[in-house]
Amino acid sequence: MKCHEEVACKHSSYCNGSSGVCPAASPQESDRCNEGSNACYEGECKGSVCQLVNLDECQCQRDNLCTVCCLEGGVCRPTGSLLQHNIQLTYLMSGRSCNDYKGYCNADHQCIQVNLENPLTSLDDIFSKKNLGNAFQWLKTHWYYTLTIIGCTFLLCILLKVTYRRSAPMQKYMQTITQTLRRVSKPNNHYQHHQLPGTPSNDEDQEKLARMCAMFPTASRSVTWDVRREAPNEEAAVITMLNLGYPFKPNSL
């Protein structure tokens, strides 16, 4: 029974009936692979077709840059033109290097040159003396643009600094409010069960109103209860009271 299908550079394997393990596939040493551009070597497609005739592969020049070439008698010749060996013309796979690693082969077997100095040359052109001189001359001619940009940058820095200074006290104030809300939410505080005339009768609403009155003692109970009743939560009610102008007294609890 076949237990391993034939793949490139390896034969099929068959169970021998003496073991539950599939025997290792034997390698194919003389077959071509990679669409004929390579040869099997040690069970893998990593050999050169030149090895089929015991020759070493080399890189051709001029018109045969993307052709597989073999070193025959000290001369690098393209396959198909060997004098003493018969190998059909073979091309390099697309993407292989050519022209002394200065390019790569495309699907049409053409060597595409790669200019590695091109990015550096572009940078050199940008920062050339001529371009720098033109930029300096433009700045001298349009000096008002330069002053406008500098002035806007300076004003932006001042605005950011002032905004930060104004927001810092507000952040500290909101942090104090948050800490107070956490403290008043703890059980057994002294205001939890005060009976306040004119307030809702159930204990939960009385507790809400008591906390709000403790934080805003200058506000009337009716205003405080209206704000707390309409707000979705206690923090929103505190913000509403602050917007109405009532002073917050965190140390009154």
Side-chain angles (χ1 to χ4, degrees):
M1 179 181 292
K2 183 186 293 187
C3 58
H4 190 283
E5 295 291 338
E6 182 177 353
V7 295
C9 301
K10 288 185 179 180
H11 293 288
S12 303
S13 294
Y14 294 87
C15 297
N16 53 23
S18 60
S19 173
V21 180
C22 183
S26 59
Q28 300 176 0
E29 297 294 345
S30 61
D31 289 352
R32 290 193 175 207
C33 54
N34 265 351
E35 300 179 1
S37 62
N38 289 89
C40 295
Y41 179 72
E42 296 181 348
E44 298 182 9
C45 187
K46 60 181 181 180
S48 171
V49 295
C50 298
Q51 295 177 352
L52 298 177
V53 290
N54 296 321
L55 296 178
D56 294 328
E57 184 176 329
C58 57
Q59 284 194 356
C60 286
Q61 302 297 324
R62 297 182 181 179
D63 298 332
N64 300 301
L65 295 177
C66 287
T67 303
V68 178
C69 298
C70 302
L71 190 62
E72 184 185 46
V75 179
C76 190
R77 305 179 189 275
T79 52
S81 301
L82 299 176
L83 300 180
Q84 302 177 5
H85 303 84
N86 183 20
I87 300 180
Q88 65 180 8
L89 182 63
T90 306
Y91 294 101
L92 294 173
M93 285 286 293
S94 178
R96 285 282 301 274
S97 61
C98 56
N99 195 18
D100 291 332
Y101 305 99
K102 297 178 181 178
Y104 64 93
C105 297
N106 62 7
D108 296 327
H109 313 301
Q110 296 177 346
C111 187
I112 307 300
Q113 302 299 317
V114 177
N115 188 3
L116 299 178
E117 297 180 357
N118 195 30
L120 298 178
T121 304
S122 300
L123 289 176
D124 186 59
D125 292 340
I126 293 175
F127 296 101
S128 64
K129 291 183 178 180
K130 181 179 179 180
N131 287 339
L132 291 177
N134 292 337
F136 183 72
Q137 184 63 34
W138 186 91
L139 292 175
K140 288 178 61 178
T141 305
H142 303 85
W143 56 270
Y144 42 88
Y145 288 151
T146 305
L147 291 180
T148 302
I149 294 174
I150 295 176
C152 291
T153 304
F154 182 71
L155 291 176
L156 180 61
C157 293
I158 294 178
L159 180 62
L160 291 175
K161 188 174 182 180
V162 171
T163 303
Y164 175 76
R165 286 183 176 180
R166 289 184 177 179
S167 62
M170 188 62 183
Q171 292 177 356
K172 185 176 180 180
Y173 191 55
M174 293 304 296
Q175 184 178 5
T176 303
I177 293 176
T178 303
Q179 292 174 353
T180 303
L181 291 175
R182 291 176 180 174
R183 185 165 63 251
V184 301
S185 63
K186 295 180 180 180
N188 299 325
N189 280 309
H190 66 86
Y191 52 80
Q192 281 189 343
H193 299 290
H194 288 180
Q195 297 296 327
L196 301 175
T199 59
S201 58
N202 64 76
D203 294 339
E204 182 179 358
D205 289 342
Q206 287 184 4
E207 180 182 340
K208 294 179 181 179
L209 181 57
R211 286 199 299 266
M212 292 296 297
C213 289
M215 289 184 284
F216 297 95
T218 60
S220 65
R221 291 188 178 90
S222 60
V223 173
T224 304
W225 173 242
D226 288 340
V227 171
R228 180 63 186 91
R229 182 177 55 188
E230 297 295 332
N233 50 56
E234 193 169 69
E235 186 174 354
V238 171
I239 295 175
T240 301
M241 295 293 288
L242 291 174
N243 292 333
L244 291 175
Y246 292 102
F248 180 74
K249 199 170 183 180
N251 297 326
S252 62
L253 302 178

